[in-house]
Amino acid sequence: MDELEFRKRIYVNPRDLDDEILEAARANPDYQKIVDETLAFEDSLCSLIEGPETPEGLMAQLLSLPEKDELESETAAAASSNVSPIRARKQSFFQYYAMAASLILAVGIVFSLSVNSGPSSADIVFGNKLLAHLHHDIEEIDDITNGETYEVLGLDEVNSSMANAGTRLVSYSAAQQFDVRSAKPCEILPAYESAHLVLEGSHGAVSVIVINNSPVDVEFSIRDDRFNGIVVPMEQGNMILVGEMNEDLNQYTSLFSENVEWVI
Amino acid sequence: MSDVPVLKGNTKRQRYESLVAALYQDVFRYAFWICKSKPMAEDLVQETFLRAWRSLESLQNDKAAKAWLFTILRRENARQYERYRPELVDIDGQSIAESDSNEPDSKMDRELLHNAINRLESEYREPLLLQVVGGFSGKEIAEILALNNNTVMTRLFRARSKLKTEFGLDTETDEES
């Protein structure tokens, strides 16, 4: 084991060194020195991080939260039932007014969607959030684009992550045309359950994100300075493909759309 | 593996009280380090436990209680972060002053280390804090941060490597890993 590998294995968790590490340290004084230094450093680190004392009275405050919460709920309920007749009439008027306005707005949206098949402003906002999410995971994407070692995942591992989005790949024969290097649940938007696969494309990492809901109803493209992508409405959700600017995403679109089964 | 609190009692209230007793100190320490302010950490912990109380029925597996609380806290912190971002520096001195040692050299080292931890990018600091404060395994950290296990391992290595580099105990190895 070379020194870099040795350091890596110690630094990941100095408090949990395996026999192989300890044996290597016993056999090499330089390695033993690294272990000793690292453990001493870890003691200082843990002592500092675990140092802050909890404020006096915090536990009592936390234990009293249920009572306060119930009291607040009761107060809120009492307030809402204690409405004067005049105010109630006013509320009633505004309720009808709001209902009529909502109806007009809904008709407008339906008409707008039927006339205009392009992405709405909400769709564009959603696209921007997707790209921001990718930049949040940029380290892993860069690693895969740069050919860093990530093992190729099997169908079971891929489907384990896709289950989070209520989907699974029904056939891996088509999917085996490319290597899936990462598969995990992700939280693009808190309201949607989704899965994020990263595969090795022709020009670097290609992200495939499957969402168990349909934030968008029309297919449209997204892009920024680096990535280009496509948002695809599917049977019961959305699929998003994003790769480097010169990646041809069409080859993946049909492969995935034909092999994804919704099992919600 | 993280500690496994036992949520005692049959009623919701009893389960909640055992949850507070077992975990409030760890939750506070984690809050303190991620929001860098003792008053804000207190608010954050209260909000976290209030949400936990309201949705205690959704906690199906008691063994996952700590990870569940830490996840609630991270989300609540993100929500507050979006609303309000104060200029915070008052973490300095808090954990250092509470050190048992009053030796100047030791205090100076702790201050340096303290600042080094705060300078770490959040992608490295978060897994480190989850490991040290929460006692979570790599797999559990991966689940809390929605990352894969390899990425967590790499970030833990880089976090310690960066800290040790600042103290001249290591050379920067980012590009090599």
Side-chain angles (χ1 to χ4, degrees), chain A residues 95-141:
Chain A
Q95 279 167 0
Y96 284 121
Y97 185 82
M99 196 182 296
S102 299
L103 193 61
I104 292 167
L105 183 64
V107 169
I109 290 170
V110 170
F111 178 75
S112 166
L113 284 175
S114 62
V115 170
N116 180 11
S117 61
S120 66
S121 56
D123 295 341
I124 292 167
V125 168
F126 179 71
N128 288 338
K129 284 187 175 173
L130 285 167
L131 290 167
H133 174 75
L134 287 186
H135 283 280
H136 184 73
D137 274 354
I138 201 70
E139 185 182 341
E140 183 177 82
I141 289 170

Side-chain angles (χ1 to χ4, degrees), chain B residues 28-175:
Chain B
F28 173 78
R29 288 193 185 102
Y30 182 58
F32 176 72
W33 279 99
I34 64 172
C35 69
K36 304 177 184 178
S37 155
K38 213 160 189 175
M40 277 189 73
E42 276 194 66
D43 290 347
L44 194 53
V45 171
Q46 293 209 31
E47 195 60 44
T48 299
F49 275 96
L50 181 60
R51 287 178 186 276
W53 159 253
R54 286 173 178 168
S55 58
L56 197 58
E57 292 84 357
S58 69
L59 177 61
Q60 302 293 326
N61 178 7
D62 288 1
K63 291 179 181 176
K66 189 190 271 189
W68 180 68
L69 277 176
F70 275 48
T71 301
I72 295 174
L73 189 145
R74 291 185 70 246
R75 285 184 183 153
E76 188 54 32
N77 181 57
R79 212 171 279 131
Q80 292 190 3
Y81 182 90
E82 283 171 8
R83 287 202 299 261
Y84 175 60
R85 179 60 177 159
E87 292 180 14
L88 295 170
V89 286
D90 69 341
I91 192 169
D92 290 336
Q94 300 245 16
S95 61
I96 299 163
E98 287 159 1
S99 160
D100 291 337
S101 170
N102 291 319
E103 294 172 21
D105 288 348
S106 170
K107 187 173 177 182
M108 188 182 73
D109 281 351
R110 289 172 68 85
E111 194 168 335
L112 288 173
L113 182 56
H114 189 118
N115 292 338
I117 294 168
N118 280 333
R119 274 199 304 274
L120 279 179
E121 297 93 330
S122 63
E123 64 191 88
Y124 301 120
R125 193 171 63 239
E126 284 213 28
L128 184 68
L129 292 174
L130 287 170
Q131 189 182 57
V132 175
V133 179
F136 294 110
S137 67
K139 187 169 174 248
E140 289 170 319
I141 296 171
E143 284 170 6
I144 292 171
L145 299 178
L147 297 169
N148 73 36
N149 201 42
N150 287 340
T151 304
V152 169
M153 296 295 121
T154 302
R155 289 184 184 181
L156 285 169
F157 161 69
R158 288 182 180 170
R160 288 193 171 89
S161 179
K162 282 169 182 284
L163 290 176
K164 292 188 76 177
T165 299
E166 295 222 15
F167 283 80
L169 297 172
D170 195 3
T171 52
E172 190 68 67
T173 48
D174 271 9
E175 60 285 351

Side-chain angles (χ1 to χ4, degrees), chain A residues 13-35:
Chain A
N13 190 352
R15 306 238 168 190
D16 186 22
L17 303 181
D18 60 34
D19 290 342
E20 195 183 353
I21 290 288
L22 295 172
E23 185 60 37
R26 274 194 290 269
N28 185 334
D30 290 340
Y31 283 9
Q32 185 63 53
K33 191 180 170 200
I34 293 172
V35 170

Side-chain angles (χ1 to χ4, degrees), chain A:
Chain A
M1 181 181 336
D2 66 21
E3 187 180 321
L4 178 60
E5 176 63 19
F6 187 75
R7 282 184 188 274
K8 272 186 185 177
R9 288 178 57 179
I10 296 177
Y11 287 8
V12 162
N13 190 352
R15 306 238 168 190
D16 186 22
L17 303 181
D18 60 34
D19 290 342
E20 195 183 353
I21 290 288
L22 295 172
E23 185 60 37
R26 274 194 290 269
N28 185 334
D30 290 340
Y31 283 9
Q32 185 63 53
K33 191 180 170 200
I34 293 172
V35 170
D36 294 342
E37 276 180 1
T38 304
L39 289 177
F41 190 82
E42 189 70 11
D43 283 345
S44 303
L45 184 68
C46 292
S47 156
L48 183 68
I49 289 179
E50 292 168 355
E53 292 292 326
T54 44
E56 204 172 324
L58 178 60
M59 185 175 174
Q61 286 177 339
L62 297 175
L63 291 175
S64 69
L65 283 175
E67 280 165 11
K68 287 180 187 167
D69 189 42
E70 281 163 9
L71 190 65
E72 277 178 23
S73 300
E74 285 168 12
T75 307
S80 66
S81 65
N82 187 20
V83 177
S84 72
I86 294 172
R87 195 171 171 192
R89 273 202 297 277
K90 279 186 180 176
Q91 281 184 345
S92 176
F93 168 77
F94 281 113
Q95 279 167 0
Y96 284 121
Y97 185 82
M99 196 182 296
S102 299
L103 193 61
I104 292 167
L105 183 64
V107 169
I109 290 170
V110 170
F111 178 75
S112 166
L113 284 175
S114 62
V115 170
N116 180 11
S117 61
S120 66
S121 56
D123 295 341
I124 292 167
V125 168
F126 179 71
N128 288 338
K129 284 187 175 173
L130 285 167
L131 290 167
H133 174 75
L134 287 186
H135 283 280
H136 184 73
D137 274 354
I138 201 70
E139 185 182 341
E140 183 177 82
I141 289 170
D142 282 344
D143 281 350
I144 292 171
T145 295
N146 296 330
E148 293 274 342
T149 308
Y150 278 73
E151 61 185 35
V152 178
L153 303 182
L155 181 60
D156 287 346
E157 289 169 286
V158 172
N159 276 342
S160 169
S161 294
M162 291 191 76
N164 192 59
T167 64
R168 65 187 178 104
L169 285 179
V170 288
S171 163
Y172 206 42
S173 57
Q176 278 177 327
Q177 294 177 33
F178 42 78
D179 292 336
V180 179
R181 299 284 181 179
S182 165
K184 61 192 176 187
C186 73
E187 297 177 354
I188 294 176
L189 295 172
Y192 305 117
E193 298 297 333
S194 52
H196 184 176
L197 313 183
V198 186
L199 44 108
E200 200 174 315
S202 308
H203 298 277
V206 173
S207 290
V208 181
I209 297 166
V210 185
I211 303 175
N212 75 346
N213 207 319
S214 302
V216 301
D217 297 320
V218 294
E219 183 172 319
F220 66 96
S221 298
I222 54 179
R223 65 167 53 200
D224 64 9
D225 294 343
R226 174 172 169 181
F227 297 117
N228 89 99
I230 182 166
V231 182
V232 185
M234 296 180 76
E235 186 186 346
Q236 292 186 51
N238 283 174
M239 177 175 70
I240 300 100
L241 292 151
V242 184
E244 300 290 336
M245 193 57 81
N246 52 352
E247 185 75 54
D248 175 16
L249 297 172
N250 291 326
Q251 56 183 317
Y252 308 108
T253 310
S254 57
L255 267 177
F256 269 91
S257 58
E258 287 164 10
N259 284 290
V260 167
E261 180 184 78
W262 297 93
V263 289
I264 299 172

